[in-house]
Amino acid sequence: MSSPVISVNNLSAAYQKNTVLRNVNFEITPGSLTAIVGPNGAGKSTLIKTMLNLHPSLTGEVQYFGLPFKKVKKRIGYVPQRGSVDWDFPTDALDVVTMGLYGEVGWLKRPSKSHKKQAFEALEKMGMGDYANRQISQLSGGQQQRVFLARALVQNADLYFMDEPLAGVDAATEIAIMETLKKLNAIGKTVLVVHHDLQTVEDYFDHVLFLNKTIINHGKTEKVFTKDNITRAYGGNIRILGGGI
Amino acid sequence: MTYTAWIIVTASLVGMSCGLIGVFLVLRKTAMMADAISHTVLLGIVLAFLVTKEVSGPAMLVGGIFAGLLTAFLVQWLHSLDVQHDASMGIIFTTLFAIGVILISTSIGNAHLDIQHALMGEITFIPFDKVSLPLVGEVPRATLLLFIVFLIVLFFITAFYKEWKITSFDSALAVSIGIPAIAMHYLFMSLVSITTVASFDAVGAIMVVAMLITPASSAYLWTDRLVVMLILSSIFGILSAISGYYIAYWIDTSISGSMAFSTGLIFMFSFIFSPKHGIISKYVQPIKNL
């Protein structure tokens, strides 16, 4: 087996005094497409944020490609929840995607024509070429999510974290996003997705990570996506699989 | 230059610096930090005076930056200890301001610094206190300070334009691609501080908040582009400054009060007539779409 892309050792995190993550341990194999699932408040977003140094950890460490986060920042792309930014910000779709390249542009420099071209191509890949100059508040929720995905694409990372990219989007966007994720996967990229819809897990993801403040189970979808694990993660009040329990 | 011309130049410099800074205050949703800092810089100015024993430009700027950063830092610190963000802001800035007020009345005596002046400013006296510059000639001290601060603000806003944009829109992304959002936040707070300090003489601590927030909020209603918003906000700042001066002259009242009132008039006009976000457009648009 190849060495893991991510290894998380004993990670814990808290919001003020409430522990949200407890002793989380797992490893992610290269080229996998993993769903992180769990009930509300299970710490799914916190897990991602803590892994990306956006939230402080209490204990533990995370390594990427065998290295600490700071050394591999540029190989990691992050798509936050759509609601985490102000969509009334005075800017257009192309500009938001171009922001994904700011790290590459460098200090005191403006994005060049080739940066803009890359950004436009990423928008086209997400079927958003016609909306490049549209003010972002004029886009639908699904279109905004596609802009975020396009922004992640231009970052050309090896590893992607996505926080609920399918939440509240239309069916066409859901298909477009999943096709994009599968394409990324096919060229060897590793993708972790916080996912809320248990009905689509088996169709979309090859790995599942059940989280409820700590890891409940983690592995290949066909092995661990069982009624038993779902009940353990969600605590029994679930009516999804096969008409419910 | 005539007395009136100096006042207008001075007020316009306030309008431009505040207009530029204000855009990012509004977009970063930290408008009330301006209110806090506009009060706490008083402490910075008093401390600068106690150290240097004079009310000089550079010392005041340094004192202002110190007080501004102290405010931003303490607010963040208190918030991290479970105090609500707005409450920690209220606690910190009133406390630091109070220390400034106490120091003024106990340690300063008859210096060119009093609470009334600090709160309301007095632009009418500005043209009398001049310094001599090579080539340019005599220039009011406060105007020179404002000009230097305007250049600093303009430099930082344009040089780090894309960094301001990304940290304002999505600071998580900024951090993940290696742009130090926290350092940018403190740099921004420093810019707010020096703008406030320099505008102090002209409009005072209370009115500077109007100059910082209202022109930017008006500009926000007119455009969907950040560059245009920056330019419009500066123009609105200048318009408020000039019209405020003439309103004050016309009805013989406080200049700084009139300027702040003008920013409100421009906002009201924008709020009613702006083509995209104005009240009228909300009634007109459905007809256009038929």
Side-chain angles (χ1 to χ4, degrees):
Chain A
M1 252 186 73
S2 48
S3 58
V5 176
I6 309 175
S7 56
V8 177
N9 294 310
N10 200 29
L11 195 69
S12 301
Y15 271 103
Q16 270 122 33
K17 277 160 199 137
N18 303 319
T19 307
V20 188
L21 290 176
R22 252 191 340 261
N23 309 328
V24 173
N25 291 287
F26 66 91
E27 287 185 343
I28 296 289
T29 48
S32 57
L33 178 52
T34 305
I36 301 175
V37 297
N40 287 334
K44 304 186 290 290
S45 295
T46 311
L47 173 64
I48 291 191
K49 285 183 187 158
T50 312
M51 289 172 72
L52 295 173
N53 272 13
L54 295 168
H55 184 80
S57 58
L58 292 177
T59 64
E61 56 158 16
V62 185
Q63 288 206 319
Y64 300 91
F65 315 100
L67 295 164
F69 174 72
K70 284 200 171 132
K71 299 223 162 138
V72 289
K73 243 180 199 178
K74 297 221 160 113
R75 295 175 67 185
I76 302 171
Y78 170 48
V79 180
Q81 283 186 18
R82 189 158 48 85
S84 69
V85 303
D86 173 15
W87 291 95
D88 284 324
F89 197 89
T91 188
D92 59 30
L94 183 66
D95 203 33
V96 171
V97 179
T98 312
M99 284 183 200
L101 293 164
Y102 279 8
E104 209 176 284
V105 174
W107 289 92
L108 302 178
K109 291 195 197 122
R110 301 269 135 118
S112 67
K113 277 206 176 121
S114 94
H115 290 126
K116 293 265 175 199
K117 193 165 159 258
Q118 280 180 61
F120 185 74
E121 283 165 4
L123 273 176
E124 277 187 322
K125 275 187 201 155
M126 295 305 306
M128 288 289 292
D130 293 342
Y131 298 90
N133 297 317
R134 186 74 68 91
Q135 150 71 15
I136 53 174
S137 66
Q138 319 260 320
L139 301 171
S140 71
Q143 290 169 331
Q144 290 173 345
Q145 195 66 57
R146 291 186 200 207
V147 170
F148 260 13
L149 257 287
R151 190 178 75 176
L153 291 181
V154 295
Q155 285 181 266
N156 200 17
D158 295 318
L159 166 63
Y160 285 101
F161 287 86
M162 305 191 179
D163 200 346
E164 302 242 15
L166 302 177
V169 303
D170 54 284
T173 299
E174 182 157 336
I175 292 167
I177 290 175
M178 284 320 299
E179 274 177 2
T180 308
L181 295 193
K182 297 222 154 125
K183 271 185 208 157
L184 286 173
N185 215 217
I187 53 170
K189 314 269 184 183
T190 308
V191 186
L192 266 84
V193 179
V194 171
H195 191 58
H196 65 287
D197 182 3
L198 289 175
Q199 305 207 49
T200 51
V201 169
E202 285 173 298
D203 295 336
Y204 291 167
F205 300 96
D206 55 32
H207 284 71
V208 190
L209 190 155
F210 285 100
L211 185 76
N212 194 348
K213 302 207 166 163
T214 190
I215 303 287
I216 305 293
N217 213 326
H218 172 220
K220 291 204 162 148
T221 308
E222 67 259 27
K223 280 196 188 146
V224 299
F225 196 68
T226 59
K227 202 181 255 184
D228 184 39
N229 278 330
I230 294 170
T231 316
R232 281 173 60 208
Y234 285 80
N237 22 1
I238 186 97
R239 290 177 289 106
I240 303 282
L241 282 182
I245 297 163
Chain B
M1 285 217 303
T2 65
Y3 173 84
T4 308
W6 277 124
I7 297 233
I8 286 180
V9 167
T10 310
S12 300
L13 285 168
V14 173
M16 284 193 288
S17 302
C18 290
L20 290 174
I21 287 291
V23 165
F24 289 104
L25 275 170
V26 170
L27 292 178
R28 296 165 89 90
K29 313 220 186 303
T30 46
M32 288 332 282
M33 258 328 261
D35 191 23
I37 286 181
S38 73
H39 283 75
T40 56
V41 291
L42 179 75
L43 176 62
I45 291 173
V46 175
L47 290 177
F49 177 83
L50 290 176
V51 173
T52 63
K53 294 292 171 203
E54 57 178 321
V55 186
S56 80
M60 274 169 49
L61 290 187
V62 173
I65 290 175
F66 168 76
L69 291 181
L70 186 69
T71 312
F73 176 78
L74 288 178
V75 167
Q76 213 55 47
W77 171 74
L78 207 55
H79 180 51
S80 74
L81 297 177
D82 272 4
V83 180
Q84 297 265 359
H85 197 262
D86 51 352
S88 51
M89 212 184 282
I91 293 163
I92 296 300
F93 98 75
T94 47
T95 308
L96 295 183
F97 180 66
I99 297 172
V101 169
I102 292 171
L103 283 178
I104 284 190
S105 38
T106 54
S107 323
I108 292 205
N110 60 355
H112 167 67
L113 197 59
D114 62 70
I115 295 159
Q116 174 73 16
H117 182 105
L119 286 179
M120 305 299 290
E122 201 38 275
I123 202 167
T124 42
F125 297 145
I126 279 176
F128 299 125
D129 182 16
K130 285 186 177 167
V131 284
S132 229
L133 285 184
L135 299 175
V136 195
E138 295 234 299
V139 175
R141 202 182 285 274
T143 316
L144 176 64
L145 183 66
L146 270 163
F147 183 66
I148 293 166
V149 165
F150 170 67
L151 291 182
I152 295 173
V153 167
L154 190 65
F155 169 77
F156 277 104
I157 296 284
T158 45
F160 298 124
Y161 176 73
K162 73 177 190 306
E163 284 78 13
W164 297 125
K165 184 157 72 179
I166 191 172
T167 52
S168 304
F169 177 65
D170 189 348
S171 63
L173 174 74
V175 171
S176 77
I177 62 176
I179 291 169
I182 294 173
M184 295 293 290
H185 172 70
Y186 285 106
L187 174 62
F188 183 64
M189 288 300 141
S190 304
L191 290 176
V192 175
S193 306
I194 59 167
T195 307
T196 312
V197 170
S199 310
F200 228 71
D201 256 343
V203 293
I206 297 177
M207 301 309 171
V208 76
V209 182
M211 297 299 281
L212 281 166
I213 296 167
T214 324
S217 304
S218 309
Y220 183 80
L221 296 173
W222 290 95
T223 178
D224 291 332
R225 293 187 54 210
L226 181 54
V227 182
V228 181
M229 186 176 167
L230 284 162
I231 295 168
L232 273 181
S233 178
S234 311
I235 293 175
F236 289 159
I238 297 172
L239 281 180
S240 311
I242 297 176
S243 61
Y245 174 74
Y246 282 104
I247 292 173
Y249 183 76
W250 174 45
I251 51 178
D252 193 17
T253 181
S254 148
I255 296 178
S256 58
S258 304
M259 285 180 189
F261 179 65
S262 287
T263 64
L265 285 183
I266 290 176
F267 181 80
M268 203 159 81
F269 180 82
S270 308
F271 194 66
I272 296 171
F273 294 105
S274 132
K276 275 196 176 150
H277 306 280
I279 294 177
I280 290 181
S281 74
K282 280 178 192 150
Y283 291 101
V284 173
Q285 238 156 24
I287 299 168
K288 246 192 332 199
N289 290 345
L290 279 179

